[in-house]
Amino acid sequence: MLSVSPDKRRKMESALNQLKKYTVVVADTGDFNAIDEYKPQDATTNPSLILAAAKMPAYQSLLDQAIKYGIAKGGTEEEQIANTMDKLFVSFGLEILKKVPGRVSTEVDARLSFDKEEMVAKALRLIALYEEAGISKERVLIKLSSTWEGIQAALFLELEDKHGVHCNMTLLFSFAQAVACAEANVTLISPFVGRIFDWYKENTDRKTYEPHEDPGVRSVTKIYNYYKKFGYSTVVMGASFRNTGQVKALAGCDLLTISPGLLAELSQDHSTVTQTLTVETAKNCSLQKVHLDEKDFRWQHNEDRMAVEKLSDGIRKFAADAIKLETMLKVRLDLNVLGLVQFPYKCEFVISGENASC
């Protein structure tokens, strides 16, 4: 039997399979039917991904179930919508957990990004819904915006003697956000590679970057090195990729959450993937340890124009998609109340601003 050299074997392997040797691969989608092919360990969702999936015919039964739940809980229309939204997000998470062996990330409403107490309450509500369905909180990451209030909410939720809820800090763009998350001992952060790249492309004269020069890649590399050099337990999950070059440039990062489209490209790519992030390299980097209290955090984050603009933009966009999803659900609730719809109900929604029509 002819043996195959290690170099030739690597060339035969897909970039995706090579990447999995160095990094935990996570699927970034609400379309759980797209997960099977790529065998990720975990999966992440957000309001925009859930909105996109909720419009697909394959998932109308989940909307029907969530609406039934919201109606059964009673209360005002606003309360019914809130309960329906919570149930829908958890329902998608439950289906995803049937496809992945690890954890799913479920996001708290971005409109709560500056209210610590409300973020904590919503997180505990989502965890309760998972536990009612027989899923342990150990298989769930609660996604919170990386505002000062979001980080403090995570600090409270993560305390084992309080709630022991694991958090995924999202919309992370600045080094100050990363330092504050590490000092709060959160479980995981999701720095946004692609959105950082987008900002530099739109706001500077430079329009293209080699992968290792990409400002988003450099940001995640710095955060990874800082965490590993100083022994923080918080893990780094690079997110929001625009191309496979960005993904491969971060091989070795704790986790990378990747869209189905880029997972497909990586599975067809047979170029060599080399580990670029290592604990050994991080230990020898020149970064100095810093401490940030609230005033230091706010100042240092404020000094990063890109991070300030992308954080506020990200919160607005996630909030807008949450409103669109609520509007979609409100139409179906209203039709049900009027007796004009029976479950299961299929409808195509055209959403413009805050108006939805069947």
Side-chain angles (χ1 to χ4, degrees):
M1 185 182 217
L2 293 174
S3 62
V4 180
S5 71
D7 286 343
K8 189 170 183 180
R9 189 177 299 113
R10 273 194 296 273
K11 288 178 182 178
M12 293 166 60
E13 280 188 307
S14 70
L16 180 58
N17 285 339
Q18 293 177 67
L19 181 66
K20 288 180 178 180
K21 295 177 182 178
Y22 311 122
T23 292
V24 174
V25 171
V26 179
D28 192 21
T29 182
D31 180 7
F32 50 81
N33 287 329
I35 291 174
D36 281 338
E37 184 176 354
Y38 306 109
K39 302 293 185 287
Q41 174 69 21
D42 300 337
T44 54
T45 64
N46 63 46
S48 302
L49 294 174
I50 297 295
L51 174 63
K55 296 185 213 176
M56 297 179 184
Y59 303 126
Q60 295 310 297
S61 63
L62 294 185
L63 269 72
D64 293 341
Q65 292 166 17
I67 290 168
K68 282 183 178 179
Y69 176 85
I71 293 171
K73 293 293 286 185
T76 64
E77 182 177 70
E78 182 179 348
E79 290 169 335
Q80 289 184 39
I81 291 290
N83 286 323
T84 299
M85 287 278 283
D86 292 345
K87 184 66 172 179
L88 183 63
F89 275 58
V90 170
S91 294
F92 271 95
L94 292 171
E95 293 300 322
I96 287 169
L97 287 173
K98 296 176 183 177
K99 309 279 187 178
V100 300
R103 299 183 291 197
V104 66
S105 291
T106 298
E107 190 152 343
V108 165
D109 193 328
R111 289 169 289 181
L112 304 178
S113 293
F114 302 101
D115 190 327
K116 172 191 168 183
E117 286 72 25
E118 285 298 317
M119 279 187 277
V120 168
K122 180 65 75 174
L124 295 178
R125 171 67 180 148
L126 293 171
I127 289 294
L129 286 172
Y130 275 110
E131 291 182 334
E132 286 173 16
I135 297 297
S136 164
K137 64 186 177 184
E138 297 302 317
R139 295 199 68 196
V140 181
L141 288 168
I142 294 296
K143 289 178 75 174
L144 300 167
S145 299
S146 297
T147 57
W148 178 259
E149 294 80 6
I151 296 167
Q152 299 313 301
L155 173 62
F156 181 76
L157 287 163
E158 294 262 6
L159 294 174
E160 288 296 335
D161 61 342
K162 295 290 186 182
H163 303 292
V165 172
H166 300 294
C167 297
N168 171 355
M169 303 308 297
T170 190
L171 295 175
L172 193 148
F173 302 97
S174 71
F175 188 63
Q177 289 174 295
V179 170
C181 287
E183 293 193 318
N185 198 35
V186 304
T187 297
L188 181 149
I189 64 167
S190 296
F192 277 31
V193 177
R195 295 196 194 188
I196 293 175
F197 167 79
D198 293 343
W199 189 92
Y200 279 92
K201 187 176 177 181
E202 292 166 6
N203 292 277
T204 69
D205 292 334
R206 188 165 181 181
K207 305 305 178 187
T208 61
Y209 295 87
E210 291 299 315
H212 294 287
E213 297 177 342
D214 185 296
V217 171
R218 290 170 67 90
S219 175
V220 174
T221 299
K222 180 180 179 181
I223 293 167
Y224 175 91
N225 287 341
Y226 183 80
Y227 279 20
K228 301 312 177 191
K229 179 172 183 176
F230 297 109
Y232 288 109
S233 60
T234 301
V235 297
V236 182
M237 180 170 71
S240 170
F241 294 101
R242 297 295 178 258
N243 55 67
T244 58
Q246 293 173 335
V247 175
K248 291 186 285 186
L250 290 172
C253 192
D254 299 315
L255 305 93
L256 297 174
T257 182
I258 308 167
S259 69
L262 291 181
L263 287 172
E265 288 186 38
L266 288 165
S267 69
Q268 298 300 315
D269 178 356
H270 293 277
S271 62
T272 299
V273 175
T274 303
Q275 184 174 4
T276 55
L277 275 60
T278 68
V279 174
E280 292 72 25
T281 301
K283 294 286 187 185
N284 294 317
C285 75
S286 61
L287 292 168
Q288 300 296 309
K289 193 170 187 178
V290 296
H291 166 70
L292 300 178
D293 59 15
E294 181 178 355
K295 64 180 184 298
D296 292 329
F297 167 84
R298 293 192 185 280
W299 177 253
Q300 290 196 25
H301 179 73
N302 185 69
E303 286 292 276
D304 188 335
R305 178 186 156 202
M306 175 278 297
V308 170
E309 292 180 8
K310 295 309 291 184
L311 174 60
S312 60
D313 180 63
I315 290 172
R316 285 194 300 271
K317 285 179 176 175
F318 280 162
D321 281 342
I323 291 169
K324 289 177 183 177
L325 186 54
E326 284 181 344
T327 305
M328 177 191 294
L329 295 174
K330 183 178 183 299
V331 169
R332 292 174 75 150
L333 276 168
D334 289 347
L335 289 174
N336 183 77
V337 170
L338 293 171
L340 299 177
V341 58
Q342 293 182 346
F343 299 103
Y345 175 61
K346 291 182 171 55
C347 175
E348 286 191 12
F349 288 85
V350 179
I351 299 180
S352 175
E354 294 186 17
N355 298 316
S357 59
C358 293

